[in-house]
Amino acid sequence: MRWSLKRFEFARNERLDAIKQMVGKHYAEDGASQKQPINMLAMGATGYTQKLAAQSPAVAVSTPFLHAKPQAAELQVAINHLLKEIKFRRDLQRVVLDSLFTIGIMKVGLDLRGSVEIGGALHDEGQPYADVISFDNFVADAQANVYERCEYVGDKYKMPLEVALEHPLFDAEQRAKLKSSEKNRWNDSASASPENITQGEEPVTEYREHVSLWDIWLPKENLIITVAADCDDVILREEEWQGPESGPYKMLGYEPVPENLLPLAPVQVWRDIADLTNRLFSKLGRQALRQKTIGLAQSGKQEDVKRINEAQDGQVVKNDSPQAFHEFSTGGANQQGFGFMMQCKSLASWHMGNLDTMLGLAAGSDTATQDKLMSSQSNERIQFMQGQVYDFCESVVRDLGAYLWYDPLIELPLVKRAAGVEVPFTFAPELREGDYLDYNISIVPHSLQQKTPEQKMKTIIEAVQVLMPLAPYMQQEQLMFNVEAIVRAMAQYTGVEELLELIRAGNGMPLETHRQEMPDSAGRAPKTPTHSVYERVNSGSSTTQGKEAAMIAQLMGAKVQPKEQALTTRGMAQ
């Protein structure tokens, strides 16, 4: 295990340097050593986290067995309730952020030890949990080239010493040997941890004494063991693993590297071009600060020099020898260097999946329709990564659901909706029918992405437009539009509450549906006009890429056509 920790040391150090680069120089004393005026890593990390895990996933439970469908609905409510209880959205965002730097790790289990703090998280007795594991506190068999072939996987965490000394699952003789662990750097390693950015590396006296422990999962032996981190011969627990077959640890990565355990993380690809862009910009800044303009005069012209120095802007002064004076400028940002920096910035955005277009920071084309097309194409990379996040979430949620299903002590008072009515029920062991494998656990598509009120309103309008022509057939099935609900949704998502007062029944009763056209004499439904709209909305200015390309060409000394030169100034007067 020590050998594997040593093999991961380079990745830990690189991760620490990348996190320092992301937080910059002004976050903490031990942040980045250099200023980050164009912090592409922070923009990329924040943007991708928002795109991949904007909110907690919505879980759907289904079953092919008709008799089990009520239990499937109750299990679905129970899992979604648990995700809110354990603040899964917050932890998922942390895992996604970790996965951008190295690999995201989550540990799933069931706490059987009573309410206790472990690794800074408070676990309730008998509640399933899904904890984020820092890569600095993680170890896996580095000799394996895929996770499924690891001989061991584990994580290091802190536990209050007083809790560990009385822990009912720990061997009494072994736990008596435990001693307080001093807060220091990584165990038996020279690498620091990201927590040192704000906490420093000096040993400190903690308010409450803690002990550092390792949980090690041995998949081949199907064992879980707990050992003291500061003393390898103190084995506190060794028992059979009772959880899911896949083990307690879940990994999130995006680009596997052939014959290697750790994936290639996005930030590892972004760092070089982002660092070069910042260095060039900082160099240009130093050049610009050195720039100065001075006046030169011949010797013996002291009176003329005095009058010029004392003159106000626009003032006319007497000068006996105008030809003896001239201005001299020195320093200033190098034009070719500035052009190269702009090119590197564009390359960094391109390297990060067209970051400007993806985050909506600038127009990528001349029309709004082309922008939508480019955005959808740039989202192909995001969609691939979203697929990885969905698979990861399903794996975690499936295990959390298993703990809820099989634990005989879990009883949850919940509420489900049936035919628009809230029905209270208790998720209890005696009401769980069949086997957990009879149920399909999945993540509702797009549930991880945040939808703005405008997007929700657009979806409602499009749905109504699709359903309106079907109104006669809906009436035959005794279905009708709930106009009041539509108006209330429009008022809610647009923020215009006055809409509720615009449409009201004359007798004060709930709103009625609009009268539909009756079928013709042949019984056919009325025809609905159909037409295609080809939208071409000018974006109002040239594209960011076009302006930057023209500017770079000018700064590099290339011949530029008048139309290309106009690109660099288009939109400035608007």
Side-chain angles (χ1 to χ4, degrees):
M1 194 172 81
R2 293 184 185 277
W3 179 84
S4 294
L5 287 173
K6 188 69 176 178
R7 296 304 303 168
F8 286 170
E9 185 174 326
F10 176 81
R12 290 198 300 271
N13 287 330
E14 286 290 303
R15 174 175 178 265
L16 175 61
D17 291 342
I19 293 176
K20 287 184 175 182
Q21 187 175 341
M22 180 190 72
V23 301
K25 185 178 177 62
H26 305 291
Y27 175 73
E29 182 179 357
D30 293 324
S33 58
Q34 303 293 329
K35 294 181 179 179
Q36 306 291 316
I38 305 179
N39 200 330
M40 301 294 290
L41 286 190
M43 292 173 58
T46 302
Y48 271 81
T49 301
Q50 292 173 345
K51 291 290 185 179
L52 297 175
Q55 57 188 13
S56 182
V59 178
V61 180
S62 61
T63 178
F65 304 105
L66 186 62
H67 69 277
K69 290 188 180 296
Q71 285 72 35
E74 294 179 354
L75 177 60
Q76 176 175 309
V77 173
I79 294 177
N80 284 306
H81 170 79
L82 175 64
L83 294 182
K84 293 181 180 179
E85 279 286 310
I86 64 176
K87 297 179 173 60
F88 187 73
R89 171 184 177 179
R90 175 200 61 191
D91 292 338
L92 177 62
Q93 290 174 343
R94 288 179 55 195
V95 167
V96 168
L97 183 60
D98 282 346
S99 69
L100 297 175
F101 286 86
T102 44
I103 186 172
I105 309 159
M106 186 167 274
K107 182 180 181 181
V108 184
L110 180 68
D111 197 293
L112 302 175
R113 298 155 290 193
S115 183
V116 63
E117 176 195 349
I118 301 177
L122 188 64
H123 294 167
D124 294 331
E125 180 179 8
Q127 184 183 66
Y129 64 85
D131 288 347
V132 181
I133 303 299
S134 170
F135 182 67
D136 283 348
N137 297 337
F138 176 74
V139 67
D141 183 6
Q143 290 183 310
N145 52 17
V146 292
Y147 175 71
E148 289 74 18
R149 298 179 183 175
C150 287
E151 298 283 348
Y152 54 86
V153 185
D155 74 292
K156 179 184 176 183
Y157 58 93
K158 294 194 307 180
M159 179 182 289
L161 179 60
E162 58 182 354
V163 174
L165 290 174
E166 302 294 332
H167 203 297
L169 298 182
F170 293 167
D171 182 87
E173 182 179 348
Q174 295 293 316
R175 70 191 185 196
K177 302 177 183 179
L178 293 175
K179 297 180 180 180
S180 175
S181 299
E182 188 179 64
K183 180 188 179 298
N184 50 21
R185 296 191 297 184
W186 179 264
N187 184 40
D188 297 331
S189 174
S191 62
S193 171
E195 67 181 15
N196 299 134
I197 294 176
T198 54
Q199 298 179 13
E201 301 182 21
E202 305 83 10
V204 296
T205 301
E206 296 183 304
Y207 173 74
R208 178 180 299 172
E209 290 185 313
H210 287 77
V211 59
S212 296
L213 306 174
W214 279 98
D215 275 352
I216 306 296
W217 176 53
L218 305 174
K220 298 290 179 61
E221 294 81 5
N222 196 36
L223 294 176
I224 185 79
I225 64 174
T226 302
V227 299
D230 300 328
C231 190
D232 294 343
D233 60 348
V234 178
I235 301 178
L236 299 168
R237 176 179 61 141
E238 180 177 341
E239 61 183 30
E240 182 180 358
W241 169 246
Q242 301 289 343
E245 184 180 355
S246 57
Y249 300 100
K250 308 297 177 184
M251 313 297 173
L252 175 61
Y254 306 106
E255 297 184 37
V257 178
E259 303 302 321
N260 282 270
L261 182 61
L262 295 181
L264 178 65
V267 169
Q268 295 169 342
V269 180
W270 302 342
R271 278 191 65 188
D272 288 342
I273 189 66
D275 183 59
L276 178 59
T277 302
N278 271 297
R279 288 176 179 270
L280 289 171
F281 193 88
S282 297
K283 182 177 180 179
L284 290 168
R286 293 192 298 269
Q287 292 176 354
L289 291 173
R290 289 199 305 269
Q291 191 277 334
K292 57 183 177 180
T293 301
I294 58 177
L296 301 180
Q298 293 180 356
S299 301
K301 305 295 182 181
Q302 286 82 0
E303 290 299 323
D304 288 345
V305 170
K306 181 179 179 182
R307 286 193 291 270
I308 292 174
N309 285 338
E310 294 177 352
Q312 300 295 322
D313 182 45
Q315 183 180 354
V316 179
V317 297
K318 177 184 177 182
N319 193 316
D320 296 330
S321 304
Q323 68 279 2
F325 293 85
H326 66 276
E327 285 189 345
F328 175 76
S329 295
T330 181
N334 181 271
Q335 288 190 351
Q336 290 186 338
F338 184 76
F340 181 57
M341 185 279 299
M342 293 289 292
Q343 192 171 23
C344 287
K345 178 177 172 292
S346 296
L347 285 173
S349 177
W350 169 79
H351 219 49
M352 300 168 78
N354 291 330
L355 190 63
D356 292 344
T357 302
M358 182 181 73
L359 299 182
L361 301 177
S365 61
D366 288 331
T367 67
T369 303
Q370 290 174 351
D371 261 353
K372 292 178 182 178
L373 179 61
M374 289 186 62
S375 178
S376 64
Q377 291 174 344
S378 67
N379 282 344
E380 289 183 3
R381 181 175 183 178
I382 287 288
Q383 289 170 1
F384 171 77
M385 297 173 71
Q386 286 173 344
Q388 304 294 96
V389 175
Y390 273 92
D391 291 343
F392 172 81
C393 286
E394 281 193 3
S395 178
V396 172
V397 168
R398 194 175 296 114
D399 286 1
L400 289 173
Y403 284 115
L404 281 176
W405 185 265
Y406 289 118
D407 193 288
L409 301 179
I410 291 181
E411 291 191 8
L412 298 175
L414 301 170
V415 175
K416 63 180 178 180
R417 294 185 63 86
V421 179
E422 293 187 348
V423 180
F425 73 99
T426 300
F427 186 75
E430 60 271 13
L431 300 179
R432 302 168 198 166
E433 295 185 6
D435 190 81
Y436 183 67
L437 299 179
D438 295 338
Y439 301 90
N440 301 317
I441 313 295
S442 61
I443 303 298
V444 177
H446 308 297
S447 63
L448 289 170
Q449 281 70 58
Q450 188 76 41
K451 287 188 177 181
T452 65
E454 292 79 8
Q455 291 173 327
K456 293 179 180 179
M457 190 67 251
K458 181 180 178 182
T459 302
I460 291 175
I461 292 175
E462 290 176 349
V464 171
Q465 291 175 345
V466 170
L467 294 174
M468 282 293 286
L470 302 177
Y473 305 103
M474 294 172 60
Q475 289 179 354
Q476 295 176 10
E477 299 294 332
Q478 297 183 348
L479 301 175
M480 62 181 61
F481 283 104
N482 188 337
V483 177
E484 181 179 9
I486 295 175
V487 174
R488 288 188 180 277
M490 293 177 66
Q492 177 183 353
Y493 295 135
T494 60
V496 183
E497 296 295 333
E498 290 79 5
L499 287 174
L500 298 175
E501 303 297 328
L502 295 180
I503 303 177
R504 183 178 294 272
N507 57 4
M509 298 297 290
L511 299 177
E512 298 177 356
T513 57
H514 288 295
R515 182 176 299 173
Q516 306 291 334
E517 292 186 36
M518 298 299 293
D520 59 19
S521 58
R524 295 171 296 188
K527 294 183 179 180
T528 302
T530 59
H531 62 281
S532 300
V533 178
Y534 297 90
E535 180 186 28
R536 189 180 190 277
V537 182
N538 197 295
S539 60
S541 63
S542 58
T543 69
T544 302
Q545 292 88 340
K547 288 192 289 186
E548 289 184 352
M551 183 181 294
I552 291 169
Q554 283 184 282
L555 295 172
M556 293 296 188
K559 293 183 178 180
V560 181
Q561 298 295 327
K563 290 184 178 180
E564 294 176 335
Q565 187 175 5
L567 283 174
T568 61
T569 58
R570 186 189 303 175
M572 293 182 180
Q574 296 179 355

